[in-house]
Amino acid sequence: MAGILFIISAPSGSGKSTLVTQLRTLVEGLDFSISYTTRAPRGSEENGREYYFTTRQEFERMVAADDFLEWAEVFGNYYGTAVAALHHAKDLGKDLLLDIDVQGALQVMKKTPQAVSIFILPPSPQILEKRLKNRSAAEKVTDESIIQKRLAGARNEIKQVWDYKYALVNDVLENAVAEMRAIVLFERGDSECESLANGCRTDAASLKLKTVLSAFGEDLPDFHR
Ligand code: ADP
Ligand code: 5GP
């Protein structure tokens, strides 16, 4: 296997974790990097499964020791991808999937231009708000300010979509999973997935992508008008 690095970013609540979980049941040979974070575990999260939960002090020690491929502060907490995750995937002969925010993604794209970047969008701000609220209710968190912070963050992050090679809209889950699978397989050389994957290229700027961006009040760059 080629050892492809896939970067996946999405505004919180877009359904990235749901998509990635399904993708991993459909596609073999994908290793998933477990990030370090200083935020507290949420819901049923376990140390070493969703994240390595750590202290700010330990995180800063790792930054100083150059242990991270990238790191960023997101919503007041540190998050980082350990260089060790790359070595681990390579040793296993697998491709590696990074679930990281746009700040981290830009760092990785700069260091590793051959990385394949995918941005996941929710269908509209209204649906994003609904998904954030549903998830909070399921986790028994009722802090409205967290939801508003994440919605505002989403509007900012979405501006970066053109820096990514692919963008997909998580409207109907099965369709989004099929598109993500097609991108991974096409990047591995499976030409049968070419048309579905190419439809998601940001430089193709599909009508679906343009519609979502305009729902978020985002202007299209000149070259896509
Ligand atoms: P993220 O990882 O991007 O923060 P999650 O995967 O936790 O988002 O999804 C946020 C919420 O939206 C969850 O309650 C999830 O079940 C729901 N969800 C995800 N994808 C869809 C979809 N395509 N349609 C409807 N609900 C979805
Ligand atoms: P959450 O707290 O909801 O799990 O994640 C918040 C944000 O942090 C998401 O956008 C997620 O992609 C991002 N994130 C998770 N791990 C990393 C990481 O290692 N590096 C960076 N830069 N962002 C991360």
Side-chain angles (χ1 to χ4, degrees):
M1 204 164 285
I4 305 169
L5 188 57
F6 291 98
I7 303 171
I8 299 190
S9 302
S12 178
S14 307
K16 181 178 49 183
S17 315
T18 310
L19 276 170
V20 167
T21 304
Q22 295 221 2
L23 179 74
R24 295 179 74 202
T25 65
L26 296 174
V27 178
E28 287 184 1
L30 265 185
D31 196 21
F32 182 73
S33 161
I34 301 172
S35 298
Y36 285 76
T37 182
T38 60
R39 86 151 160 75
R42 208 164 54 198
S44 58
E45 287 178 338
E46 277 177 28
N47 189 36
R49 193 177 64 188
E50 285 82 5
Y51 285 105
Y52 295 112
F53 296 98
T54 186
T55 60
R56 284 183 91 84
Q57 194 185 19
E58 172 59 11
F59 195 99
E60 282 163 4
R61 189 202 59 75
M62 290 180 72
V63 171
D66 238 358
D67 285 344
F68 289 118
L69 170 66
E70 63 73 35
W71 66 274
E73 190 165 352
V74 187
F75 305 123
N77 290 298
Y78 290 140
Y79 294 81
T81 306
V83 176
L86 293 182
H87 300 314
H88 184 249
K90 202 169 167 207
D91 290 347
L92 294 175
K94 291 186 171 183
D95 295 334
L96 182 64
L97 204 145
L98 306 182
D99 163 356
I100 58 180
D101 87 314
V102 295
Q103 306 171 74
L106 295 176
Q107 294 173 44
V108 178
M109 288 177 206
K110 221 167 162 184
K111 283 189 188 164
T112 319
Q114 70 275 23
V116 177
S117 50
I118 308 169
F119 195 96
I120 297 164
L121 296 127
S124 67
Q126 293 76 17
I127 293 178
L128 177 61
E129 184 165 7
K130 209 162 115 195
R131 287 187 189 165
L132 284 167
K133 285 188 169 157
N134 285 347
R135 187 176 66 187
S136 294
E139 289 169 353
K140 299 190 170 54
V141 180
T142 51
D143 189 346
E144 175 69 19
S145 75
I146 293 180
I147 289 171
Q148 292 312 322
K149 213 157 92 179
R150 291 189 175 225
L151 269 175
R155 290 181 192 279
N156 253 326
E157 284 180 272
I158 281 173
K159 293 185 198 306
Q160 305 294 330
V161 65
W162 305 111
D163 289 319
Y164 288 70
K165 182 168 181 182
Y166 297 99
L168 53 90
V169 179
N170 180 20
D171 189 349
V172 177
L173 185 62
E174 300 82 76
N175 295 350
V177 172
E179 287 176 344
M180 195 129 112
R181 175 178 170 274
I183 293 168
V184 171
L185 297 186
F186 176 60
E187 289 288 341
R188 285 179 175 173
D190 180 346
S191 55
E192 280 182 20
C193 297
E194 182 170 5
S195 128
L196 198 52
N198 277 347
C200 299
R201 284 188 66 128
T202 51
D203 56 11
S206 67
L207 181 62
K208 193 153 98 177
L209 177 59
K210 289 178 177 169
T211 307
V212 172
L213 292 173
S214 81
F216 277 91
E218 195 51 43
D219 278 340
L220 296 176
D222 287 344
F223 53 90
H224 279 315
R225 282 202 189 137

